[in-house]
Amino acid sequence: KLNEKVDIDGNDEIGQLSRAYNFMSTKLSHIEKQRQDFVANVSHELKTPLSSMKLLAESLIMQPSTDTAIYHEFLEDIDSEIDRLNEIIESLLNMVDLDEEKLNLNYKLTYVNYLIEKIVNNIRPLAEKKNIKIIITQWEKIQIYLDQGKIYQALINIIHNAVKYTDEGGKITINIEREGRFAVIKVTDTGYGIPQESLPYIFDRFYRVDSARSRKTGGSGLGLSISNQIVGLHQGTIEVESQIKKGSTFIIKLPMDINQL
Ligand code: ADP
């Protein structure tokens, strides 16, 4: 049994050994608990869109004479549930990749500002659908060593969130500047904001402030944990400042001397 404890005390070698054993056993059962939670969470996340699809398909089967408009609407709902499933599976695969690739980042000397310009260009059509403006306010040309694909993903998750969690007509501002030995990227939105009590958890796997809203916008609750892991692998940090109903700022700091690590 993983959480079995040895009950021997004392300052001799046996006592020390048993304390070390108890310590390891607690650690192991903690890891085991995390693994179980993870499997439970993944199953839940995968089951939710599946259940909706099942319901939608069943109601179509039960009413064979439904008019085409309703057919169409139900199929569109099924289609977006399939997209959601796909997004979750992709995030899961990314996560596994990251766990395995720990020491295998493909560093290339990169202009952070051009990378961000590329992301913004890719996400702009989505923002325009909600009439949200994305503006790059401050623009310092900064060149650093990073894994382009990974940092692209880390940043697009954050900028995509800014679009997802901001109402129609809002604004996203991006700021790129140097601060000591760091390249600092700030992404500010005029969105819903994050409650103070949720801030410590938003980087946790599967954590969502408002799961109903997040589900509607297609979130899996994995995006920020992936971003955080990628930035961490680059020896950087992500901080958040947020005010409910005012908006949030995500501050990503990447060390510029990473090639020396
Ligand atoms: P999701 O896939 O649900 O977006 P993330 O891991 O990317 O998951 O984010 C976790 C949660 O943090 C989101 O569900 C959302 O509640 C909150 N969040 C993230 N970014 C923002 C933001 N810019 N504004 C408000 N809430 C946010």
Side-chain angles (χ1 to χ4, degrees), residues 20-35:
Y21 172 83
N22 287 341
F23 176 75
M24 278 193 312
S25 138
T26 310
K27 263 230 135 73
L28 269 178
S29 58
H30 183 66
I31 292 170
E32 175 59 13
K33 171 85 174 61
Q34 277 185 330
R35 193 190 63 80

mmCIF file with all atom_site columns, all heavy atoms in Angstrom, residues 20-35:
data_model
loop_
_atom_site.group_PDB
_atom_site.id
_atom_site.type_symbol
_atom_site.label_atom_id
_atom_site.label_alt_id
_atom_site.label_comp_id
_atom_site.label_asym_id
_atom_site.label_entity_id
_atom_site.label_seq_id
_atom_site.pdbx_PDB_ins_code
_atom_site.Cartn_x
_atom_site.Cartn_y
_atom_site.Cartn_z
_atom_site.occupancy
_atom_site.B_iso_or_equiv
_atom_site.pdbx_formal_charge
_atom_site.auth_seq_id
_atom_site.auth_comp_id
_atom_site.auth_asym_id
_atom_site.auth_atom_id
_atom_site.pdbx_PDB_model_num
ATOM 1   N N   . ALA A 1 20 ? 12.503 8.764  6.721   1.00 0.00 ? 20 ALA A N   1
ATOM 2   C CA  . ALA A 1 20 ? 12.717 8.942  5.284   1.00 0.00 ? 20 ALA A CA  1
ATOM 3   C C   . ALA A 1 20 ? 11.684 8.134  4.492   1.00 0.00 ? 20 ALA A C   1
ATOM 4   O O   . ALA A 1 20 ? 11.112 8.597  3.514   1.00 0.00 ? 20 ALA A O   1
ATOM 5   C CB  . ALA A 1 20 ? 14.128 8.502  4.899   1.00 0.00 ? 20 ALA A CB  1
ATOM 6   N N   . TYR A 1 21 ? 11.440 6.925  4.996   1.00 0.00 ? 21 TYR A N   1
ATOM 7   C CA  . TYR A 1 21 ? 10.463 6.058  4.320   1.00 0.00 ? 21 TYR A CA  1
ATOM 8   C C   . TYR A 1 21 ? 9.073  6.703  4.350   1.00 0.00 ? 21 TYR A C   1
ATOM 9   O O   . TYR A 1 21 ? 8.383  6.773  3.341   1.00 0.00 ? 21 TYR A O   1
ATOM 10  C CB  . TYR A 1 21 ? 10.422 4.684  4.999   1.00 0.00 ? 21 TYR A CB  1
ATOM 11  C CG  . TYR A 1 21 ? 9.305  3.820  4.468   1.00 0.00 ? 21 TYR A CG  1
ATOM 12  C CD1 . TYR A 1 21 ? 9.476  3.080  3.298   1.00 0.00 ? 21 TYR A CD1 1
ATOM 13  C CD2 . TYR A 1 21 ? 8.071  3.780  5.115   1.00 0.00 ? 21 TYR A CD2 1
ATOM 14  C CE1 . TYR A 1 21 ? 8.438  2.317  2.790   1.00 0.00 ? 21 TYR A CE1 1
ATOM 15  C CE2 . TYR A 1 21 ? 7.027  3.025  4.611   1.00 0.00 ? 21 TYR A CE2 1
ATOM 16  C CZ  . TYR A 1 21 ? 7.220  2.294  3.450   1.00 0.00 ? 21 TYR A CZ  1
ATOM 17  O OH  . TYR A 1 21 ? 6.189  1.557  2.940   1.00 0.00 ? 21 TYR A OH  1
ATOM 18  N N   . ASN A 1 22 ? 8.689  7.225  5.524   1.00 0.00 ? 22 ASN A N   1
ATOM 19  C CA  . ASN A 1 22 ? 7.369  7.852  5.653   1.00 0.00 ? 22 ASN A CA  1
ATOM 20  C C   . ASN A 1 22 ? 7.229  9.066  4.743   1.00 0.00 ? 22 ASN A C   1
ATOM 21  O O   . ASN A 1 22 ? 6.195  9.289  4.133   1.00 0.00 ? 22 ASN A O   1
ATOM 22  C CB  . ASN A 1 22 ? 7.106  8.273  7.106   1.00 0.00 ? 22 ASN A CB  1
ATOM 23  C CG  . ASN A 1 22 ? 6.833  7.065  7.985   1.00 0.00 ? 22 ASN A CG  1
ATOM 24  O OD1 . ASN A 1 22 ? 6.495  5.999  7.470   1.00 0.00 ? 22 ASN A OD1 1
ATOM 25  N ND2 . ASN A 1 22 ? 7.000  7.226  9.290   1.00 0.00 ? 22 ASN A ND2 1
ATOM 26  N N   . PHE A 1 23 ? 8.323  9.824  4.649   1.00 0.00 ? 23 PHE A N   1
ATOM 27  C CA  . PHE A 1 23 ? 8.320  11.009 3.799   1.00 0.00 ? 23 PHE A CA  1
ATOM 28  C C   . PHE A 1 23 ? 8.068  10.611 2.338   1.00 0.00 ? 23 PHE A C   1
ATOM 29  O O   . PHE A 1 23 ? 7.227  11.170 1.637   1.00 0.00 ? 23 PHE A O   1
ATOM 30  C CB  . PHE A 1 23 ? 9.665  11.737 3.948   1.00 0.00 ? 23 PHE A CB  1
ATOM 31  C CG  . PHE A 1 23 ? 9.811  12.911 3.037   1.00 0.00 ? 23 PHE A CG  1
ATOM 32  C CD1 . PHE A 1 23 ? 9.123  14.091 3.315   1.00 0.00 ? 23 PHE A CD1 1
ATOM 33  C CD2 . PHE A 1 23 ? 10.620 12.849 1.911   1.00 0.00 ? 23 PHE A CD2 1
ATOM 34  C CE1 . PHE A 1 23 ? 9.239  15.190 2.467   1.00 0.00 ? 23 PHE A CE1 1
ATOM 35  C CE2 . PHE A 1 23 ? 10.738 13.941 1.063   1.00 0.00 ? 23 PHE A CE2 1
ATOM 36  C CZ  . PHE A 1 23 ? 10.053 15.110 1.341   1.00 0.00 ? 23 PHE A CZ  1
ATOM 37  N N   . MET A 1 24 ? 8.811  9.578  1.894   1.00 0.00 ? 24 MET A N   1
ATOM 38  C CA  . MET A 1 24 ? 8.670  9.124  0.507   1.00 0.00 ? 24 MET A CA  1
ATOM 39  C C   . MET A 1 24 ? 7.276  8.571  0.253   1.00 0.00 ? 24 MET A C   1
ATOM 40  O O   . MET A 1 24 ? 6.689  8.790  -0.800  1.00 0.00 ? 24 MET A O   1
ATOM 41  C CB  . MET A 1 24 ? 9.710  8.045  0.191   1.00 0.00 ? 24 MET A CB  1
ATOM 42  C CG  . MET A 1 24 ? 11.046 8.646  -0.142  1.00 0.00 ? 24 MET A CG  1
ATOM 43  S SD  . MET A 1 24 ? 12.172 7.474  -0.862  1.00 0.00 ? 24 MET A SD  1
ATOM 44  C CE  . MET A 1 24 ? 12.074 6.104  0.200   1.00 0.00 ? 24 MET A CE  1
ATOM 45  N N   . SER A 1 25 ? 6.774  7.857  1.238   1.00 0.00 ? 25 SER A N   1
ATOM 46  C CA  . SER A 1 25 ? 5.471  7.239  1.064   1.00 0.00 ? 25 SER A CA  1
ATOM 47  C C   . SER A 1 25 ? 4.370  8.298  0.958   1.00 0.00 ? 25 SER A C   1
ATOM 48  O O   . SER A 1 25 ? 3.454  8.189  0.155   1.00 0.00 ? 25 SER A O   1
ATOM 49  C CB  . SER A 1 25 ? 5.247  6.246  2.203   1.00 0.00 ? 25 SER A CB  1
ATOM 50  O OG  . SER A 1 25 ? 3.969  6.322  2.690   1.00 0.00 ? 25 SER A OG  1
ATOM 51  N N   . THR A 1 26 ? 4.513  9.398  1.741   1.00 0.00 ? 26 THR A N   1
ATOM 52  C CA  . THR A 1 26 ? 3.547  10.501 1.629   1.00 0.00 ? 26 THR A CA  1
ATOM 53  C C   . THR A 1 26 ? 3.627  11.121 0.241   1.00 0.00 ? 26 THR A C   1
ATOM 54  O O   . THR A 1 26 ? 2.623  11.409 -0.397  1.00 0.00 ? 26 THR A O   1
ATOM 55  C CB  . THR A 1 26 ? 3.853  11.585 2.685   1.00 0.00 ? 26 THR A CB  1
ATOM 56  O OG1 . THR A 1 26 ? 3.979  10.943 3.938   1.00 0.00 ? 26 THR A OG1 1
ATOM 57  C CG2 . THR A 1 26 ? 2.765  12.627 2.751   1.00 0.00 ? 26 THR A CG2 1
ATOM 58  N N   . LYS A 1 27 ? 4.865  11.327 -0.226  1.00 0.00 ? 27 LYS A N   1
ATOM 59  C CA  . LYS A 1 27 ? 5.071  11.920 -1.553  1.00 0.00 ? 27 LYS A CA  1
ATOM 60  C C   . LYS A 1 27 ? 4.420  11.058 -2.625  1.00 0.00 ? 27 LYS A C   1
ATOM 61  O O   . LYS A 1 27 ? 3.733  11.542 -3.524  1.00 0.00 ? 27 LYS A O   1
ATOM 62  C CB  . LYS A 1 27 ? 6.582  12.013 -1.837  1.00 0.00 ? 27 LYS A CB  1
ATOM 63  C CG  . LYS A 1 27 ? 7.175  13.361 -1.544  1.00 0.00 ? 27 LYS A CG  1
ATOM 64  C CD  . LYS A 1 27 ? 8.000  13.836 -2.740  1.00 0.00 ? 27 LYS A CD  1
ATOM 65  C CE  . LYS A 1 27 ? 7.750  15.283 -3.100  1.00 0.00 ? 27 LYS A CE  1
ATOM 66  N NZ  . LYS A 1 27 ? 8.300  16.258 -2.214  1.00 0.00 ? 27 LYS A NZ  1
ATOM 67  N N   . LEU A 1 28 ? 4.676  9.752  -2.534  1.00 0.00 ? 28 LEU A N   1
ATOM 68  C CA  . LEU A 1 28 ? 4.144  8.821  -3.531  1.00 0.00 ? 28 LEU A CA  1
ATOM 69  C C   . LEU A 1 28 ? 2.617  8.832  -3.558  1.00 0.00 ? 28 LEU A C   1
ATOM 70  O O   . LEU A 1 28 ? 2.014  8.840  -4.622  1.00 0.00 ? 28 LEU A O   1
ATOM 71  C CB  . LEU A 1 28 ? 4.620  7.400  -3.228  1.00 0.00 ? 28 LEU A CB  1
ATOM 72  C CG  . LEU A 1 28 ? 5.910  6.981  -3.899  1.00 0.00 ? 28 LEU A CG  1
ATOM 73  C CD1 . LEU A 1 28 ? 6.283  5.570  -3.461  1.00 0.00 ? 28 LEU A CD1 1
ATOM 74  C CD2 . LEU A 1 28 ? 5.774  7.027  -5.419  1.00 0.00 ? 28 LEU A CD2 1
ATOM 75  N N   . SER A 1 29 ? 2.029  8.859  -2.359  1.00 0.00 ? 29 SER A N   1
ATOM 76  C CA  . SER A 1 29 ? 0.562  8.819  -2.366  1.00 0.00 ? 29 SER A CA  1
ATOM 77  C C   . SER A 1 29 ? 0.003  10.137 -2.899  1.00 0.00 ? 29 SER A C   1
ATOM 78  O O   . SER A 1 29 ? -1.054 10.171 -3.508  1.00 0.00 ? 29 SER A O   1
ATOM 79  C CB  . SER A 1 29 ? -0.024 8.454  -1.003  1.00 0.00 ? 29 SER A CB  1
ATOM 80  O OG  . SER A 1 29 ? 0.397  9.362  -0.047  1.00 0.00 ? 29 SER A OG  1
ATOM 81  N N   . HIS A 1 30 ? 0.761  11.223 -2.706  1.00 0.00 ? 30 HIS A N   1
ATOM 82  C CA  . HIS A 1 30 ? 0.357  12.500 -3.272  1.00 0.00 ? 30 HIS A CA  1
ATOM 83  C C   . HIS A 1 30 ? 0.376  12.423 -4.809  1.00 0.00 ? 30 HIS A C   1
ATOM 84  O O   . HIS A 1 30 ? -0.556 12.864 -5.484  1.00 0.00 ? 30 HIS A O   1
ATOM 85  C CB  . HIS A 1 30 ? 1.303  13.585 -2.765  1.00 0.00 ? 30 HIS A CB  1
ATOM 86  C CG  . HIS A 1 30 ? 0.946  14.959 -3.227  1.00 0.00 ? 30 HIS A CG  1
ATOM 87  N ND1 . HIS A 1 30 ? -0.202 15.589 -2.823  1.00 0.00 ? 30 HIS A ND1 1
ATOM 88  C CD2 . HIS A 1 30 ? 1.564  15.796 -4.091  1.00 0.00 ? 30 HIS A CD2 1
ATOM 89  C CE1 . HIS A 1 30 ? -0.269 16.779 -3.402  1.00 0.00 ? 30 HIS A CE1 1
ATOM 90  N NE2 . HIS A 1 30 ? 0.790  16.927 -4.182  1.00 0.00 ? 30 HIS A NE2 1
ATOM 91  N N   . ILE A 1 31 ? 1.454  11.853 -5.349  1.00 0.00 ? 31 ILE A N   1
ATOM 92  C CA  . ILE A 1 31 ? 1.570  11.707 -6.810  1.00 0.00 ? 31 ILE A CA  1
ATOM 93  C C   . ILE A 1 31 ? 0.450  10.823 -7.346  1.00 0.00 ? 31 ILE A C   1
ATOM 94  O O   . ILE A 1 31 ? -0.180 11.123 -8.356  1.00 0.00 ? 31 ILE A O   1
ATOM 95  C CB  . ILE A 1 31 ? 2.954  11.126 -7.197  1.00 0.00 ? 31 ILE A CB  1
ATOM 96  C CG1 . ILE A 1 31 ? 4.045  12.151 -6.881  1.00 0.00 ? 31 ILE A CG1 1
ATOM 97  C CG2 . ILE A 1 31 ? 2.996  10.731 -8.666  1.00 0.00 ? 31 ILE A CG2 1
ATOM 98  C CD1 . ILE A 1 31 ? 5.451  11.612 -6.997  1.00 0.00 ? 31 ILE A CD1 1
ATOM 99  N N   . GLU A 1 32 ? 0.182  9.741  -6.607  1.00 0.00 ? 32 GLU A N   1
ATOM 100 C CA  . GLU A 1 32 ? -0.874 8.818  -7.015  1.00 0.00 ? 32 GLU A CA  1
ATOM 101 C C   . GLU A 1 32 ? -2.227 9.526  -7.032  1.00 0.00 ? 32 GLU A C   1
ATOM 102 O O   . GLU A 1 32 ? -3.024 9.379  -7.943  1.00 0.00 ? 32 GLU A O   1
ATOM 103 C CB  . GLU A 1 32 ? -0.898 7.609  -6.060  1.00 0.00 ? 32 GLU A CB  1
ATOM 104 C CG  . GLU A 1 32 ? -2.014 6.611  -6.287  1.00 0.00 ? 32 GLU A CG  1
ATOM 105 C CD  . GLU A 1 32 ? -2.016 5.985  -7.687  1.00 0.00 ? 32 GLU A CD  1
ATOM 106 O OE1 . GLU A 1 32 ? -1.017 6.136  -8.418  1.00 0.00 ? 32 GLU A OE1 1
ATOM 107 O OE2 . GLU A 1 32 ? -3.045 5.391  -8.052  1.00 0.00 ? 32 GLU A OE2 1
ATOM 108 N N   . LYS A 1 33 ? -2.450 10.368 -6.028  1.00 0.00 ? 33 LYS A N   1
ATOM 109 C CA  . LYS A 1 33 ? -3.707 11.123 -5.953  1.00 0.00 ? 33 LYS A CA  1
ATOM 110 C C   . LYS A 1 33 ? -3.817 12.070 -7.152  1.00 0.00 ? 33 LYS A C   1
ATOM 111 O O   . LYS A 1 33 ? -4.866 12.190 -7.775  1.00 0.00 ? 33 LYS A O   1
ATOM 112 C CB  . LYS A 1 33 ? -3.731 11.898 -4.630  1.00 0.00 ? 33 LYS A CB  1
ATOM 113 C CG  . LYS A 1 33 ? -4.846 12.905 -4.476  1.00 0.00 ? 33 LYS A CG  1
ATOM 114 C CD  . LYS A 1 33 ? -6.107 12.216 -3.964  1.00 0.00 ? 33 LYS A CD  1
ATOM 115 C CE  . LYS A 1 33 ? -7.239 13.186 -3.640  1.00 0.00 ? 33 LYS A CE  1
ATOM 116 N NZ  . LYS A 1 33 ? -7.713 13.981 -4.738  1.00 0.00 ? 33 LYS A NZ  1
ATOM 117 N N   . GLN A 1 34 ? -2.692 12.742 -7.486  1.00 0.00 ? 34 GLN A N   1
ATOM 118 C CA  . GLN A 1 34 ? -2.694 13.656 -8.629  1.00 0.00 ? 34 GLN A CA  1
ATOM 119 C C   . GLN A 1 34 ? -3.020 12.909 -9.919  1.00 0.00 ? 34 GLN A C   1
ATOM 120 O O   . GLN A 1 34 ? -3.753 13.395 -10.767 1.00 0.00 ? 34 GLN A O   1
ATOM 121 C CB  . GLN A 1 34 ? -1.323 14.305 -8.789  1.00 0.00 ? 34 GLN A CB  1
ATOM 122 C CG  . GLN A 1 34 ? -1.137 15.506 -7.892  1.00 0.00 ? 34 GLN A CG  1
ATOM 123 C CD  . GLN A 1 34 ? 0.177  16.195 -8.158  1.00 0.00 ? 34 GLN A CD  1
ATOM 124 O OE1 . GLN A 1 34 ? 1.159  15.547 -8.552  1.00 0.00 ? 34 GLN A OE1 1
ATOM 125 N NE2 . GLN A 1 34 ? 0.226  17.483 -7.953  1.00 0.00 ? 34 GLN A NE2 1
ATOM 126 N N   . ARG A 1 35 ? -2.444 11.699 -10.040 1.00 0.00 ? 35 ARG A N   1
ATOM 127 C CA  . ARG A 1 35 ? -2.669 10.909 -11.239 1.00 0.00 ? 35 ARG A CA  1
ATOM 128 C C   . ARG A 1 35 ? -4.153 10.540 -11.358 1.00 0.00 ? 35 ARG A C   1
ATOM 129 O O   . ARG A 1 35 ? -4.760 10.675 -12.404 1.00 0.00 ? 35 ARG A O   1
ATOM 130 C CB  . ARG A 1 35 ? -1.809 9.641  -11.208 1.00 0.00 ? 35 ARG A CB  1
ATOM 131 C CG  . ARG A 1 35 ? -1.714 8.910  -12.524 1.00 0.00 ? 35 ARG A CG  1
ATOM 132 C CD  . ARG A 1 35 ? -1.046 7.556  -12.361 1.00 0.00 ? 35 ARG A CD  1
ATOM 133 N NE  . ARG A 1 35 ? -1.803 6.667  -11.494 1.00 0.00 ? 35 ARG A NE  1
ATOM 134 C CZ  . ARG A 1 35 ? -2.869 5.976  -11.892 1.00 0.00 ? 35 ARG A CZ  1
ATOM 135 N NH1 . ARG A 1 35 ? -3.272 6.053  -13.123 1.00 0.00 ? 35 ARG A NH1 1
ATOM 136 N NH2 . ARG A 1 35 ? -3.529 5.214  -11.049 1.00 0.00 ? 35 ARG A NH2 1
#
